[in-house]
Amino acid sequence: MLRTEMGTNITAIVNRLASELQNTSFYADFLADVQTTMATQNLSTEKFASECYEWTQGSWLDTRLRNALYRLMHVQPTLLSNPDTPVHVLKEPLAYVRKAQSSWERRLVKCVNSMASELGVPLARRRTKQEREDLAERWANLSTDESDLSMIRPVYAPKDFLEVLCNLRNQNYDETVEENLWGSIQLPLRVKDIKALVELYGELACCCKHTGLDETVPGEHKPNLTLAEERIIIGQKVVERNHGPLSKEFCKTGCPPGLRAVLWHQVLGLEITEKHYKYFDELMKAVLQHDLLVDKLIMKDIQLTASNDDQYFVFEDILFQVLLCFFRDTEVLSHFGHSSASPPLSVARGQTPSPETMVAYPPSGVIPFHGFTMYAAPLSCLYEDPVHLYFTFRELYCRYWYRLHIVTSHPQGAAGLALQFELLLQSSETRLWQHCAAMGIQLLPIVFKWMVRGFSGYLIPDQLFHLWDVILAWESVEVLPVLALAIVSFRRDNLMDVTSQQAAESVLADITSIRVIPLLKLALASDKGRDRET
């Protein structure tokens, strides 16, 4: 019976994947390539199906199809779930978490509406012909815009969101029966302990050589070359294969800087074609056509973050282009199919609210928080072409970053990561945890702002890219609390001397000198499960 049910489930999953693949833009192009290629082959009509299958095995067509399926399973994880599971359960299984997310969404919508009323501006308006022409003329120099943004304030900051998570409670949770929750996050969520994390990040936990640590040591296979030189040679062969899973495995021991951009595209299943350029051009036209209130929000965010960052201020113009287009991209709405969140809705002025007249606002369904720009800013160091930057940013957001600012019970959500940090701190740095508790010092608010931005803006770009290599290679952001713990451990001696929250914040204020891979290896060392001696 078990085998029959497993076979049925696998068949159902395969059928859903095949059906969903046919609805993608990839399918039509792939089918045309197959027809063109097969027309050039001398295949018999009697055994056409079997000969066609045999010929395609290992071919470029086979690789393209495998990459497409690999990407589809990651961008739509619900396709792999039980088809009988209700949609709301797939999005978020816990009712009290769904309720909290809905409440959070209403709060954000109210804040945006209040800002629009205070400023006396509509949520959206059609630009005049002159405005469209002026904007098109300075599209490449949007940072020179002289609009007054002094009255624009961020809708919320990471600390506001953390406050919501800290106040969240499960009314059915019985502390007299269950284990007491001692930390700021009072949610009985299942998160990985250090043992499970060591098992997950095996290559990092062991003594494998890594390009983020051992660039100058002799290569593993060619001792006459440095590891960095050897990895470039191997990486070029991996790039030539253009196989997503293979590129992902290669990234586990680090990406050579010169190959990182293309390797990330392969891991993410991105093939930038002429269609992508046309799509980005349509988004640009949408920016020219309509002025949105969120435009001012993101422009102000760029000014407050990237423009004030020594690493990214030179990329202001491309960030303006990418982010203004992002908030008009309705394809971003697809991630709400497997998210506990729902897009905020609005209705055009003069229309009666109804299911037919309600539309997502902004069109992407995302309201930016203070620091949102930093999801895109680092990519400007990798991709000069705004189209390549845009689709890489969109893919990363829809796979990983969206969970960092919604209320969800998913272990890779903001609440799960915050809880994981607190539990790791207690188990791995017991003396430091006890000291902080005695002094009334809370480390979570300090590290939460790092985690919710994926450490962007806090680490220098080359170290940040090593961290994001890990996220892509293991398809998980659970490394964020591990790095947060590693940094706290690294500054343990200083933290043991402080007696106030302000002093602790000063100790952890600047982490730009941090080297990511050595600290991650240290945090995942075999003795991390025990309290270390100072």
Side-chain angles (χ1 to χ4, degrees):
M1 178 62 72
L2 179 59
R3 290 183 178 178
T4 302
E5 291 178 355
M6 289 178 62
T8 302
N9 289 337
I10 293 174
T11 301
I13 290 173
V14 170
N15 290 336
R16 290 206 302 274
L17 285 171
S19 177
E20 193 63 34
L21 190 65
Q22 293 178 26
N23 296 326
T24 64
S25 58
F26 161 83
Y27 182 76
D29 293 338
F30 180 74
L31 187 59
D33 289 340
V34 170
Q35 292 172 336
T36 301
T37 304
M38 290 299 101
T40 64
Q41 304 301 312
N42 186 21
L43 304 177
S44 65
T45 55
E46 295 80 6
K47 300 180 179 180
F48 179 80
S50 60
E51 290 183 2
C52 179
Y53 175 78
E54 291 176 4
W55 183 88
T56 56
Q57 292 303 294
S59 68
W60 66 277
L61 288 171
D62 180 49
T63 300
R64 282 191 65 198
L65 181 59
R66 289 174 183 272
N67 284 339
L69 288 170
Y70 173 72
R71 179 178 182 274
L72 187 63
M73 289 187 291
H74 286 82
V75 298
Q76 297 191 40
T78 53
L79 292 174
L80 305 179
S81 58
N82 189 329
D84 297 328
T85 306
V87 174
H88 70 277
V89 175
L90 286 176
K91 287 164 62 70
E92 173 52 59
L94 302 179
Y96 75 95
V97 174
R98 293 197 298 268
K99 182 178 178 180
Q101 173 60 25
S102 296
S103 177
W104 173 242
E105 290 168 0
R106 289 193 298 271
R107 175 176 167 180
L108 299 185
V109 169
K110 182 180 179 180
C111 185
V112 172
N113 287 331
S114 297
M115 187 181 302
S117 298
E118 291 174 10
L119 298 176
V121 297
L123 294 176
R125 68 173 182 86
R126 189 176 181 83
R127 300 186 196 272
T128 65
K129 180 180 179 181
Q130 186 61 48
E131 288 175 331
R132 293 196 296 271
E133 292 175 352
D134 291 343
L135 186 59
E137 185 176 346
R138 55 186 176 82
W139 179 251
N141 299 286
L142 290 174
S143 61
T144 61
D145 185 90
E146 297 181 355
S147 300
D148 182 13
L149 301 177
S150 59
M151 299 298 292
I152 300 297
R153 62 186 184 276
V155 175
Y156 70 101
K159 64 177 182 179
D160 302 313
F161 184 51
L162 178 60
E163 182 180 345
V164 171
L165 298 180
C166 291
N167 291 328
L168 190 58
R169 298 290 187 276
N170 179 3
Q171 300 301 323
N172 297 322
Y173 183 72
D174 187 355
E175 293 188 359
T176 62
V177 176
E178 305 286 352
E179 181 182 356
N180 184 40
L181 294 169
W182 53 266
S184 300
I185 304 298
Q186 294 287 300
L187 298 177
L189 303 178
R190 288 187 177 182
V191 295
K192 291 182 176 65
D193 58 14
I194 190 63
K195 183 178 179 180
L197 288 167
V198 169
E199 184 176 350
L200 172 64
Y201 296 106
E203 287 86 342
L204 274 177
C206 70
C207 59
C208 295
K209 294 180 180 178
H210 196 288
T211 53
L213 176 63
D214 310 296
E215 292 94 336
T216 59
V217 303
E220 292 185 294
H221 306 288
K222 297 183 177 181
N224 59 315
L225 300 177
T226 65
L227 181 68
E229 293 170 336
E230 182 185 79
R231 292 286 292 171
I232 291 175
I233 295 173
I234 298 174
Q236 289 171 339
K237 295 179 180 179
V238 172
V239 168
E240 291 173 2
R241 289 287 301 275
N242 189 26
H243 188 232
L246 177 62
S247 298
K248 180 173 73 73
E249 288 300 314
F250 178 77
C251 289
K252 287 186 176 181
T253 48
C255 290
L259 299 176
R260 180 174 280 118
V262 64
L263 283 168
W264 281 15
H265 273 190
Q266 292 181 358
V267 173
L268 294 171
L270 287 175
E271 292 184 24
I272 305 301
T273 64
E274 188 62 30
K275 286 186 176 181
H276 291 85
Y277 281 88
K278 291 180 179 179
Y279 189 85
F280 188 77
D281 188 57
E282 291 300 316
L283 293 176
M284 183 190 75
K285 291 178 181 177
V287 176
L288 300 179
Q289 288 294 326
H290 290 90
D291 179 28
L292 306 180
L293 177 59
V294 291
D295 292 348
K296 297 178 177 60
L297 287 172
I298 199 62
M299 291 169 72
K300 183 64 174 282
D301 190 59
I302 293 174
Q303 289 182 0
L304 293 175
T305 55
S307 298
N308 290 325
D309 193 304
D310 292 342
Q311 305 290 337
Y312 305 122
F313 74 94
V314 295
F315 303 113
E316 281 182 289
D317 293 318
I318 194 172
L319 289 174
F320 274 107
Q321 295 174 23
V322 165
L323 291 169
L324 289 176
C325 287
F326 175 81
F327 289 100
R328 288 160 173 81
D329 192 348
T330 55
E331 286 295 318
V332 178
L333 294 171
S334 63
H335 83 273
F336 287 104
H338 50 269
S339 165
S340 63
S342 299
L345 301 177
S346 183
V347 63
R349 185 179 299 177
Q351 291 189 341
T352 303
S354 69
E356 291 74 25
T357 59
M358 300 293 285
V359 295
Y361 179 87
S364 66
V366 180
I367 296 177
F369 63 90
H370 175 53
F372 187 91
T373 298
M374 301 313 289
Y375 289 150
L379 300 176
S380 56
C381 299
L382 289 182
Y383 304 98
E384 295 182 5
D385 190 326
V387 176
H388 285 252
L389 193 160
Y390 176 77
F391 286 99
T392 307
F393 160 63
R394 191 183 75 174
E395 193 73 19
L396 285 169
Y397 179 82
C398 292
R399 285 204 194 189
Y400 306 112
W401 306 142
Y402 75 92
R403 285 200 179 100
L404 301 182
H405 56 92
I406 62 173
V407 184
T408 174
S409 62
H410 195 283
Q412 296 188 48
L417 299 181
L419 177 61
Q420 188 175 63
F421 169 78
E422 291 194 311
L423 295 178
L424 289 175
L425 179 66
Q426 184 197 32
S427 62
S428 300
E429 289 289 351
T430 307
R431 292 180 58 194
L432 176 59
W433 167 69
Q434 291 172 337
H435 171 75
C436 290
M439 295 294 117
I441 297 172
Q442 293 186 326
L443 296 181
L444 179 60
I446 301 174
V447 305
F448 185 78
K449 61 186 179 182
W450 302 342
M451 295 191 295
V452 83
R453 280 171 35 173
F455 281 84
S456 179
Y458 297 103
L459 301 174
I460 59 175
D462 72 316
Q463 293 302 310
L464 180 70
F465 290 147
H466 285 307
L467 175 63
W468 287 13
D469 285 343
V470 175
I471 291 174
L472 286 168
W474 276 274
E475 300 172 347
S476 173
V477 295
E478 289 167 302
V479 70
L480 298 179
V482 177
L483 180 59
L485 173 72
I487 295 173
V488 168
S489 297
F490 187 65
R491 301 277 172 87
R492 182 195 329 113
D493 292 345
N494 300 100
L495 289 170
M496 290 293 290
D497 291 333
V498 304
T499 58
S500 67
Q501 182 73 24
Q502 185 178 4
E505 291 175 355
S506 298
V507 170
L508 297 171
D510 183 5
I511 59 172
T512 54
S513 61
I514 292 299
R515 293 193 66 198
V516 168
I517 299 303
L519 283 186
L520 286 178
K521 283 184 171 291
L522 179 64
L524 295 169
S526 59
D527 63 341
K528 276 297 288 182
R530 300 188 299 270
D531 184 27
R532 294 189 308 249
E533 296 295 329
T534 55

